[in-house]
């Protein structure tokens, strides 16, 4: 009997945002329990530090550079380097995971965020029988109904989006019948804007006060942004998890995951359902309000540093995954495609999921070595990250910045915060990883950003527009997303 598959993808959830991953401020009892019932991965990675590329990698089993979706769709930025082109949609010639599972007898449902292109490339064009809530949006227009979402009818005024999407997923489970199903539940939470039910926000305001967190300055001011469209603002790093509204979003999400798991139990399907829980990129910790902290990992969303790409990953597979397992081996988002095909008893499609590895042996507790994990993000992010590529092999991680700074080398096993650059003390390791990384970029057709032909951001202008404001170059102006620079 083929197992059902529930794949839960969270938007912008950081590695340290769950209790089972070390958070002492956010409360996530249902996800902590899920981790105790299955496997918790300590070194799981997204294929990119922003959302659309990682989403594309999950559905294709390919690295974003090979797919051609390397930036969040709608994003653009220049600095010392010019930008490089990328697909503004997930190409429909890709044999998606949903198409492969549907061909193997699965009902395929997408619920939630998509952000992989315009109407002609929505979920129904990539193998999903049902699409609820998925469109070109990168974030909700409104967290509370009316939503204005073209694929999600408005609910009662004040209905909360995460609650509603979970309701829709539960209805699908309750009417599933005996055919196996693939539920692709991609929540919009916990993306900005940070809005949550008022009673939960009040709870965490009291908690922050009780812990004395409301008297601490949770931010460290940083350097100016390297991208021209943000050049007047500074990176602001959160070093303490203390934002009540963000904590409320996390708890509400946890409660809703619990409701979904309860629905599987009530329908008698829990014992034959694989549940995967992960995130598309690291927590938002350096910009746009910096609502969370990823410490002890460095940086966050928009950076190829560990805080930008290392994710929570929990897998519950009754009868296969031993409860309470912790898995330290590195895995990455293209690995889901071949792994889930194996779990479904379907043959591999190696020409499609060329970059993914079937990590079923890891889940079964058997010896397994995945090999190197790569990143290619040749863009400026909205969070302060610069165009860069990286590779992790075993305990070593090398970061290559395209602006021309020297490569940095870290022993990630001993130094997950990437504090100690070991390139000078281990030149052979650095050289070998650099050669491997550059060879891989060439193999997958990765584009490298060229120098910007403009030496500086049009400084002959008397002023410039930034987020709807006029400012003199060098002024401290908080950047906000606008029509020409959508939120990632």
């Amino acid at each position: 009997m083929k197992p059902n598959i529930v794949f839960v993808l969270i938007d912008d959830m950081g590695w340290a945002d769950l209790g089972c991953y070390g958070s002492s401020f956010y409360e996530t009892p249902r996800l902590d329990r899920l981790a105790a019932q299955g496997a918790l991965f300590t070194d799981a990675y997204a294929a990119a530090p922003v959302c659309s590329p990682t989403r594309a990698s999950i559905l294709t089993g390919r690295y974003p550079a090979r797919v051609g979706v390397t930036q969040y769709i709608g994003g653009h930025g220049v600095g010392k380097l010019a930008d490089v082109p990328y697909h503004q949609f997930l190409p429909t010639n890709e044999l998606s995971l949903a198409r492969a599972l549907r061909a193997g007898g699965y009902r395929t449902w997408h619920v939630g965020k998509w952000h992989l292109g315009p109407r002609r490339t929505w979920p129904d064009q990539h193998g999903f029988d049902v699409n609820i809530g998925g469109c070109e949006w990168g974030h909700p227009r409104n967290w509370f109904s009316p939503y204005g979402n073209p694929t999600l009818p408005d609910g009662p005024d004040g209905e909360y989006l995460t609650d509603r999407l979970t309701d829709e997923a539960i209805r699908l489970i309750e009417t599933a019948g005996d055919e196996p199903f693939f539920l692709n539940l991609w929540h919009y939470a916990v993306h900005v804007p940070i809005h949550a039910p008022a009673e939960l926000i009040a709870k965490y305001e009291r908690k922050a006060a009780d812990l004395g967190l409301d008297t601490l300055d949770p931010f460290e001011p940083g350097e100016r942004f390297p991208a021209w469209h943000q050049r007047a603002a500074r990176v602001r790093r959160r070093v303490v998890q203390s934002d009540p509204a963000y904590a409320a979003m996390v708890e509400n999400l946890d409660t809703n995951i619990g409701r979904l798991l309860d629905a599987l139990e009530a329908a008698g399907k829990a014992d034959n359902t694989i549940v995967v829980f992960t995130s598309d990129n690291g927590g938002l910790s350096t910009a746009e309000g910096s609502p969370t902290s990823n410490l002890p990992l460095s940086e966050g969303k928009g950076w190829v540093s560990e805080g930008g790409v290392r994710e929570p990953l929990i897998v519950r597979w009754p009868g296969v995954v031993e409860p309470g397992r912790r898995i330290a081996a590195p895995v990455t988002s293209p690995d889901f495609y071949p792994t889930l095909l194996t779990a479904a008893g379907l043959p591999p499609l190696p020409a499609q999921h060329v970059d993914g590895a079937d990590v079923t042996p890891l889940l079964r507790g058997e010896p397994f070595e995945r090999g190197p994990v790569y990143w290619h993000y040749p863009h400026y992010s909205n969070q302060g990250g610069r165009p860069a590529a990286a590779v992790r092999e075993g305990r070593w991680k090398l970061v290559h910045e395209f602006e021309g700074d020297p490569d940095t080398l870290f022993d990630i096993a001993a130094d997950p915060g990437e504090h100690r650059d070991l390139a000078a003390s281990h030149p052979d390791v650095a050289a070998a990883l650099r050669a491997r990384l550059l060879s891989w970029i060439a193999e997958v057709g990765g584009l490298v950003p060229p120098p910007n032909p403009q030496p500086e951001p049009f400084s002959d202008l008397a002023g410039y527009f930034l987020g709807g404001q006029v400012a003199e170059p060098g002024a401290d102006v908080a950047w906000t997303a606008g029509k020409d620079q959508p939120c990632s």
Side-chain angles (χ1 to χ4, degrees):
M1 186 175 180
K2 294 183 184 299
N4 304 307
I5 300 168
V6 174
F7 191 98
V8 182
L9 184 69
I10 308 307
D11 197 4
D12 292 0
M13 174 163 273
W15 181 81
D17 281 354
L18 304 181
C20 54
Y21 279 86
S23 178
S24 59
F25 187 59
Y26 312 145
E27 298 178 19
T28 57
R30 295 307 304 267
L31 285 164
D32 298 346
R33 187 188 311 172
L34 182 68
Q37 295 169 340
L40 181 152
F41 285 74
T42 62
D43 291 51
Y45 289 103
V50 292
C51 64
S52 300
T54 296
R55 292 162 189 269
S57 74
I58 291 168
L59 290 173
T60 65
R62 298 168 179 250
Y63 279 118
R66 197 186 297 273
V67 178
V69 180
T70 51
Q71 173 67 303
Y72 77 89
I73 290 174
H76 169 72
V78 300
K80 289 182 180 179
L81 303 178
D83 206 358
V84 298
Y86 63 93
H87 290 319
Q88 299 279 332
F89 49 85
L90 179 62
T92 50
N93 62 306
E94 296 283 354
L95 177 58
S96 74
L97 175 60
R99 280 199 179 110
L101 289 172
R102 185 165 68 178
Y106 278 73
R107 301 176 70 181
T108 54
W109 309 323
H110 176 86
V111 179
K113 175 174 171 174
W114 183 246
H115 201 187
L116 286 171
R119 176 65 190 90
R120 68 183 184 278
T121 59
W122 284 1
D124 59 312
Q125 302 300 305
H126 281 283
F128 287 98
D129 301 321
V130 171
N131 171 33
I132 301 172
C135 60
E136 70 272 16
W137 292 3
H139 60 93
R141 298 292 190 270
N142 298 297
W143 276 104
F144 296 91
S145 185
Y147 308 114
N149 186 309
T151 62
L152 181 70
D154 291 335
D157 284 356
E159 178 187 66
Y160 190 57
L161 180 59
T162 307
D163 298 340
R164 169 63 179 281
L165 292 175
T166 306
D167 289 343
E168 297 288 350
I170 289 172
R171 288 191 190 100
L172 290 168
I173 291 170
E174 291 174 340
T175 59
D178 295 329
E179 292 178 280
F181 61 80
F182 169 46
L183 169 59
N184 199 48
L185 177 56
W186 288 7
H187 272 295
Y188 283 91
V190 288
H191 197 288
V192 294
I194 305 301
H195 294 161
E199 65 276 10
L200 277 180
I201 296 175
K203 169 187 172 177
Y204 282 96
E205 288 174 340
R206 293 190 297 270
K207 183 173 183 177
D210 290 343
L211 296 174
L213 297 177
D214 60 336
T215 64
L216 301 177
D217 183 355
F219 302 109
E220 288 185 353
E223 69 278 12
R224 293 198 180 276
F225 283 92
W228 283 9
H229 68 278
Q230 297 168 293
R231 63 194 180 277
R234 290 185 179 275
V235 170
R236 188 170 70 156
R237 294 178 172 86
R238 179 177 282 271
V239 295
V240 177
Q241 290 183 345
S242 59
D243 185 306
Y246 187 83
M249 288 186 83
V250 171
E251 179 175 332
N252 173 269
L253 177 67
D254 180 80
T255 298
N256 277 292
I257 299 303
R259 293 176 55 223
L260 183 77
L261 298 174
D262 290 344
L264 287 170
E265 290 281 358
K269 297 183 181 299
D271 289 343
N272 192 42
T273 299
I274 300 167
V275 177
V276 178
F277 177 94
T278 191
S279 176
D280 61 353
N281 52 249
L284 182 59
S285 64
T286 63
E288 299 167 79
S290 308
T292 195
S293 171
N294 301 308
L295 293 177
L297 306 183
S298 59
E299 310 302 6
K301 177 181 180 179
W303 304 70
V304 298
S305 304
E306 291 291 287
V309 293
R310 196 188 292 203
E311 312 305 328
L313 172 59
I314 299 168
V315 178
R316 187 180 77 180
W317 187 357
V320 175
V321 174
E322 181 182 353
R325 290 196 60 219
R326 293 179 68 88
I327 299 175
V331 296
T332 185
S333 47
D335 298 341
F336 291 120
Y337 195 136
T339 302
L340 292 176
L341 286 187
T342 295
L346 299 175
L349 299 170
Q352 173 60 49
H353 50 71
V354 61
D355 297 315
D358 177 4
V359 301
T360 305
L362 273 180
L363 295 171
R364 295 184 181 277
E366 300 167 358
F368 180 79
E369 178 59 48
R370 192 207 177 279
V373 173
Y374 295 98
W375 297 269
H376 179 62
Y377 183 61
H379 306 281
Y380 290 95
S381 77
N382 284 339
Q383 296 78 33
R386 297 184 294 173
V391 56
R392 175 174 174 180
E393 185 169 21
R395 65 189 305 115
W396 297 105
K397 179 181 176 183
L398 180 118
V399 178
H400 176 73
E401 301 255 4
F402 290 116
E403 282 191 355
D405 290 350
D407 294 345
T408 49
L409 178 71
F410 303 101
D411 180 348
I412 289 299
D415 180 26
E418 297 167 292
H419 300 297
R420 299 180 293 279
D421 177 12
L422 303 177
S425 58
H426 292 79
D428 293 345
V429 175
L433 286 179
R434 175 188 172 91
R436 174 165 284 184
L437 176 61
L438 296 181
S439 175
W440 171 80
I441 291 172
E443 175 201 337
V444 299
L447 301 179
V448 176
N452 191 337
Q454 299 292 335
E456 53 186 285
F458 306 110
S459 59
D460 57 318
L461 299 179
Y464 63 94
F465 285 93
L466 186 64
Q469 303 177 63
V470 178
E472 293 298 324
D476 285 313
V477 177
W479 178 83
T480 56
K483 285 185 177 180
D484 298 327
Q485 191 64 42
C487 195
S488 58

